[in-house]
Amino acid sequence: MWDRLSSGQVVLANRKSALSVLHQSLMDATACYPCAFGALTLTDDLPKFRRHYPQILSSFEALRLASPDRADIARRLITQFQAQVAWRVDSSEVTLSEAMMLTAPPLRLLSHSFPGESGWVPDLAYQGRQWEASNLAELSELLLARNVITHAAMDSLKWLCNNGFDQQGRLNLGGRKIAVLGAGAEMAPTRLWLEAGAHVLWLDTRPPPKEWFDLPALAGRLSWSSTPVDLLTQPQAVLATLIDFADGAPIDLGLYAYAPGQAREVRLTASMNAVVEAMPSALLGSVTLLVSPTTPTALNERDLAAMQGRLGSRAGWETWCDRLGLLGANGGAVREAGLGVIRSVVSIQGGSYQLAQYLGKVLQAQQWAEQGQTAAEHPTPLRVSANTAAITRTRSLDHPVFAAAFGGAAAMGVETLTPSQSRALNGLLTVHDWLHPRLPTPGLVRLHGGIHTLPYPLESALRVAAAIGFARRPRLLAGLLPHKS
């Protein structure tokens, strides 16, 4: 039976689309918890849902958070989601959870020990300055003042400044084992953790960059598979490799794998989550993932106050656009029972993206942090680092509309970051979550770049930002035209 199943792959059950899985999950929750969702009008018409889900998702999350059954609702949504992810061989399917019970041998690994001195020295370029450990606290205050991070993120960076560095301003992770799924992703701080002296397990479809082996700054040890690692076809082997790598001691497990198209966003997220669910809990020192600022996220009073403040200090052209209806209606947040949820979902990212982010990351991270692994017989809360990352100019956002929006974002009070800036800041925030005595709370530490205090729906603001960007760089319009073959 194993030989037959080993040729399978992770898919959505019964060839469903990601949007239909998201739709059905929300429909099921509203039917099971009518008291929580009585104020929500959710159509059973999928094409209509497709047109309106950016608005529906934020309203749904606001109602869930306002409900005393919010944890039970999240657990049901996660369970429903897991049931819709399958392991397919030819025309046969079993749930991915069932398939993870089958055993596979661990992958054959290669290893290299770097000769560099252990210790990551942060060196981050921002606003024309270089920032290191000595002025990290000042940087955190600047980022807060520029509305790029939350107060919790500032506090995390300051704590790390006082507790994480040695006298030479180095961050040392020597003796720590870190396994990174999607180690080659642009957002993964893999190289930085090697500089810090950790033993890093690289799991990706491509090998580590050859030039790394000549870098004097790298320390620690790197292990990687002798063959490409595909989470969509080898989740059982990945699980076995992680258990073998842990060798009986807890490891830090980073979930960074990402690829767009063919519902790969959600299938990769589901595969990584299934690996976490199947890992022996004693081997999970921490689980790390990054959450998009463009998925429904709870706001606190400071966020809502900052949102209101931005309305009061906006430029005249912005007021004019708002009065003309160009910036959408009903403000930047959905409010229920004193709570707020950002209206930051944009349809251009697609249903697979939101299914992965909202059910696969936001709700799953809360479940792990509050109650532990979903199917564990005796679950205990996990240490989960699930911080929001800023919009980053990665290859996955290589689209003329995004390129134009990046150009006009500053006019809307939104900052976008380079991959190196995001890797450094999110890497530091992650290390804080690993080292701090208290377990982190998902959703508090956010490097949102101004999106989470934007007083308009992001879908509408994106159009205005893109218009500004196209006006500044008209040649981007050529990217919207069909190419002749």
Side-chain angles (χ1 to χ4, degrees):
M1 183 178 181
W2 168 250
D3 289 340
R4 184 168 180 267
L5 282 179
S6 65
S7 61
Q9 63 175 316
V10 178
V11 298
L12 294 180
N14 301 317
R15 304 187 185 277
K16 291 181 179 178
S17 70
L19 189 70
S20 67
V21 172
L22 177 62
H23 180 224
Q24 190 55 51
S25 298
L26 301 189
M27 289 286 292
D28 174 80
T30 55
C32 291
Y33 296 92
C35 293
F37 298 107
L40 182 67
T41 301
L42 184 57
T43 177
D44 60 1
D45 184 293
L46 184 59
K48 188 173 182 181
F49 176 76
R50 178 179 288 108
R51 292 193 299 272
H52 298 290
Y53 77 88
Q55 297 79 33
I56 291 170
L57 274 179
S58 296
S59 297
F60 180 93
E61 176 63 355
L63 290 168
R64 185 191 73 85
L65 289 172
S67 169
D69 298 318
R70 56 185 172 275
D72 292 339
I73 297 170
R75 188 180 183 88
R76 184 175 183 89
L77 284 164
I78 292 167
T79 302
Q80 290 288 315
F81 173 44
Q82 291 172 346
Q84 294 302 314
V85 181
W87 179 252
R88 180 186 297 155
V89 180
D90 298 328
S91 58
S92 300
E93 291 182 356
V94 297
T95 66
L96 180 57
S97 300
E98 292 176 289
M100 293 303 294
M101 297 178 186
L102 298 163
T103 56
L107 300 164
R108 178 175 171 269
L109 299 180
L110 305 174
S111 288
H112 177 82
S113 294
F114 292 95
E117 182 181 355
S118 179
W120 169 24
V121 180
D123 185 17
L124 171 66
Y126 181 74
Q127 288 293 301
R129 290 182 59 183
Q130 295 298 125
W131 303 86
E132 301 178 352
S134 60
N135 53 13
L136 183 60
E138 182 186 353
L139 172 62
S140 71
E141 292 176 354
L142 174 63
L143 290 170
L144 181 68
R146 291 180 61 83
N147 195 35
V148 173
I149 63 174
T150 59
H151 279 78
M154 179 187 71
D155 293 342
S156 295
L157 291 172
K158 286 188 172 182
W159 183 92
L160 192 63
C161 185
N162 294 326
N163 299 277
F165 296 95
D166 62 21
Q167 292 183 344
Q168 287 73 44
R170 294 176 174 271
L171 187 63
N172 198 312
L173 297 176
R176 205 170 188 101
K177 285 187 172 182
I178 306 170
V180 190
L181 307 186
E186 285 186 270
M187 298 291 281
T190 312
R191 174 179 158 175
L192 304 179
W193 293 331
L194 280 171
E195 290 182 22
H199 183 183
V200 175
L201 174 60
W202 172 292
L203 294 173
D204 204 306
T205 54
R206 53 186 174 174
K210 291 182 179 180
E211 59 269 23
W212 282 18
F213 297 96
D214 298 320
L215 293 175
L218 296 190
R221 184 181 177 192
L222 178 64
S223 296
W224 69 100
S225 172
S226 58
T227 56
V229 181
D230 187 347
L231 277 159
L232 299 182
T233 60
Q234 301 168 282
Q236 301 91 345
V238 167
L239 173 63
T241 305
L242 292 173
I243 293 172
D244 195 54
F245 176 70
D247 194 22
I251 62 173
D252 300 303
L253 179 54
L255 313 181
Y256 290 94
Y258 176 85
Q262 300 177 325
R264 281 180 294 184
E265 301 102 325
V266 68
R267 291 191 292 136
L268 282 169
T269 297
S271 185
M272 292 188 290
N273 291 357
V275 169
V276 174
E277 288 287 323
M279 276 283 285
S281 59
L283 301 183
L284 287 172
S286 70
V287 178
T288 295
L289 55 99
L290 293 177
V291 176
S292 169
T294 62
T295 202
T297 302
L299 303 178
N300 57 37
E301 292 181 0
R302 282 173 166 163
D303 298 321
L304 295 172
M307 187 178 289
Q308 192 62 37
R310 287 179 69 174
L311 273 178
S313 61
R314 62 185 176 178
W317 70 265
E318 199 173 311
T319 302
W320 179 77
C321 286
D322 192 17
R323 288 174 179 170
L324 288 177
L326 300 178
L327 291 171
N330 303 319
V334 177
R335 305 192 187 209
E336 289 288 341
L339 301 170
V341 170
I342 191 67
R343 299 178 67 194
S344 60
V345 178
V346 290
S347 56
I348 193 173
Q349 291 180 305
S352 176
Y353 187 87
Q354 281 306 326
L355 179 59
Q357 289 291 327
Y358 179 50
L359 268 64
K361 291 190 175 186
V362 173
L363 298 188
Q364 182 67 80
Q366 291 175 12
Q367 161 70 31
W368 286 334
E370 294 172 5
Q371 302 179 44
Q373 292 157 298
T374 311
E377 186 176 350
H378 303 290
T380 56
L382 300 178
R383 179 175 290 270
V384 180
S385 177
N387 302 327
T388 297
I391 289 182
T392 304
R393 299 188 288 277
T394 60
R395 290 186 297 270
S396 65
L397 295 181
D398 185 15
H399 187 284
V401 172
F402 284 127
F406 292 156
M412 302 293 298
V414 172
E415 288 195 30
T416 59
L417 301 184
T418 65
S420 62
Q421 289 172 326
S422 281
R423 283 193 298 269
L425 286 169
N426 284 300
L428 290 168
L429 292 168
T430 294
V431 172
H432 163 273
D433 292 345
W434 292 346
L435 301 181
H436 199 285
R438 288 196 314 270
L439 293 180
T441 301
L444 294 183
V445 174
R446 287 176 274 127
L447 178 62
H448 57 77
I451 285 179
H452 286 181
T453 56
L454 189 68
Y456 320 107
L458 183 60
E459 180 101 298
S460 303
L462 182 67
R463 296 191 191 101
V464 175
I468 295 171
F470 280 127
R472 291 175 175 174
R473 299 173 61 194
R475 67 180 182 276
L476 290 173
L477 288 168
L480 298 177
L481 301 176
H483 296 283
K484 294 182 179 180
S485 57

